[in-house]
Amino acid sequence: MKKSILIPIVLVALSGCGRSSLDLPEDPISFDVYTLKSRSTSKANGTFIEGNPLSATTLPEGSQFGIFGYFHQSLGGENGSWDDAVTKGTTNHPNLFFNGHVTASYDGLTPQYTSDPVRYWPSNDKERISFFAYYPYDATGANIKTNLSSASNGEGVFEYAVPASAADHIDFMISDLCVDQSKSANYLTGDGKVRFNFHHVLSQVRIKTVNVINSNPNVTISNISIMFKNVPLSGRCVVTPTTDGEGKVVKDANGRVNNNFSWPKTSMSFTREGVNGIEAELCYDTDDNLIPGQVLLMIPYNFAYDPAYPDAEIVVVFDVDRTAADGEEYHYRNNELSAPLWKGGSAWVANHIYDYNITVRLEGLEMSAEVSDWAVGAGDVDLEEY
């Protein structure tokens, strides 16, 4: 079951879809946003919504999400639609919003959302707009880059690169597709709101416990470090709407279409600057509180054996100090133990949490994983309720 973050967008009805923001500067499209609380201000500018629905709040100060908007002209007096590309031979280009963005700011405690560029609802209700979005907005494509252009068809592909440090990892999300929207035909029927349903497209990977079992009082194990090796450090997320046998989108009464997200293995890279892994740290303090800045947000990956790729594995490096019976001391540095990740489950799946428990013995490494949903809330939420 998909878990999602619900973000209603308020779009004010204006005349003339083709007009610029200079034509009616007093009536720009406005936005209002609902999401669950992001408590992780130490991680990627607070974008990480780790899955603790403790309270409702707006997006963090200064955060942004990107928008793509597709204008559908009315043909033959009929409502414009996303499916025109199938039935009438037209195309779905992001010609209204192309990687536009919305920025959250505050006037005291009151949130304000500013879009760039400014756009308007069509005055002709038969002209429709389809939308989808991603979070957080990446202006430079440093970590999230789309292959879409204003002339591209469909929703396209996002290229994603995992940052080297866990503290910089990004809660990359993509929304479902909202099709055939107008001022009077949208999620809340006539109030101008478009609701984005965002989904986590990465996996949370956490080190929950690290235990050392050593029965020899003359031996000490110390300086433990952990790395996930041969896991994808970059890849492409392909976004496609759910369609029927005729290629038309399957939408609900309000125009929402479930998007599908896939990460082709052939698009993945497993090295960064000659390093074929990513370091991991213990993600819980002594009171079992999560340390968000140490959580890894990773590309989903199937660990099944494939002769074309090395096995994904967890590697533990540690030092051993031994005192012999005659008092002589021996020091063994950078000892290494490893275990294949399939021992902790068959895959990292998007929108799931993986808590790893590790036990280090001189005889070998033991590893298991606890898997849970990356749940961020339940049910639809209307902004008016708050």
Side-chain angles (χ1 to χ4, degrees), residues 61-330:
E61 172 81 22
S63 66
Q64 299 176 321
F65 58 90
I67 298 179
F68 294 88
Y70 304 72
F71 174 68
H72 308 305
Q73 187 176 5
S74 173
L75 300 176
E78 299 178 8
N79 291 339
S81 75
W82 180 273
D83 285 331
D84 282 349
V86 176
T87 60
K88 300 185 178 70
T90 60
T91 54
N92 288 317
H93 300 324
N95 50 8
L96 187 70
F97 283 101
F98 170 66
N99 204 22
H101 60 276
V102 177
T103 304
S105 61
Y106 289 84
D107 180 8
L109 297 177
T110 303
Q112 298 178 338
Y113 298 95
T114 305
S115 67
D116 184 6
V118 176
R119 291 290 183 262
Y120 307 94
W121 281 117
S123 57
N124 180 355
D125 194 57
K126 291 184 179 297
E127 294 177 335
R128 300 300 175 92
I129 306 170
S130 297
F131 303 85
F132 87 103
Y134 73 97
Y135 174 87
Y137 173 68
D138 191 328
T140 64
N143 294 105
I144 304 173
K145 182 179 180 181
T146 178
N147 74 338
L148 279 172
S149 71
S150 58
S152 298
N153 191 34
E155 296 178 272
V157 173
F158 286 89
E159 297 180 6
Y160 180 72
V162 178
S165 170
D168 297 325
H169 281 201
I170 295 167
D171 191 354
F172 181 25
M173 295 188 288
I174 302 175
S175 76
D176 283 329
L177 180 64
C178 304
V179 298
D180 308 342
Q181 305 288 289
S182 72
K183 168 63 179 176
S184 61
N186 57 45
Y187 278 121
L188 297 179
T189 312
D191 65 358
K193 287 187 179 180
V194 176
R195 173 172 291 166
F196 285 131
N197 227 13
F198 278 87
H199 302 281
H200 302 283
V201 295
L202 300 177
S203 306
Q204 274 195 60
V205 178
R206 308 169 175 176
I207 303 299
K208 185 175 183 179
T209 61
V210 179
N211 299 306
V212 176
I213 296 181
N214 170 34
S215 59
N216 190 335
N218 298 316
V219 172
T220 301
I221 298 174
S222 61
N223 298 327
I224 296 174
S225 63
I226 302 167
M227 176 174 281
F228 289 97
K229 281 193 174 182
N230 304 323
V231 294
L233 301 178
S234 65
R236 295 176 181 173
C237 182
V238 181
V239 187
T240 54
T242 300
T243 57
D244 61 19
E246 297 180 353
K248 298 179 181 180
V249 292
V250 178
K251 59 185 179 181
D252 65 16
N254 296 314
R256 188 173 73 182
V257 179
N258 286 331
N259 265 332
N260 303 292
F261 314 108
S262 62
W263 294 86
K265 196 171 185 177
T266 53
S267 74
M268 296 176 178
S269 174
F270 297 80
T271 61
R272 181 198 296 108
E273 298 178 352
V275 178
N276 66 332
I278 188 165
E279 293 184 357
E281 297 183 74
L282 192 64
C283 294
Y284 295 84
D285 62 21
T286 54
D287 295 321
D288 290 331
N289 296 311
L290 185 69
I291 306 172
Q294 294 175 191
V295 174
L296 299 175
L297 303 180
M298 301 297 293
I299 293 173
Y301 188 58
N302 191 322
F303 304 136
Y305 172 72
D306 187 332
Y309 298 87
D311 283 341
E313 59 183 359
I314 191 166
V315 177
V316 176
V317 177
F318 56 94
D319 295 340
V320 175
D321 299 291
R322 181 175 69 88
T323 303
D326 60 3
E328 188 74 18
E329 294 185 351
Y330 298 87

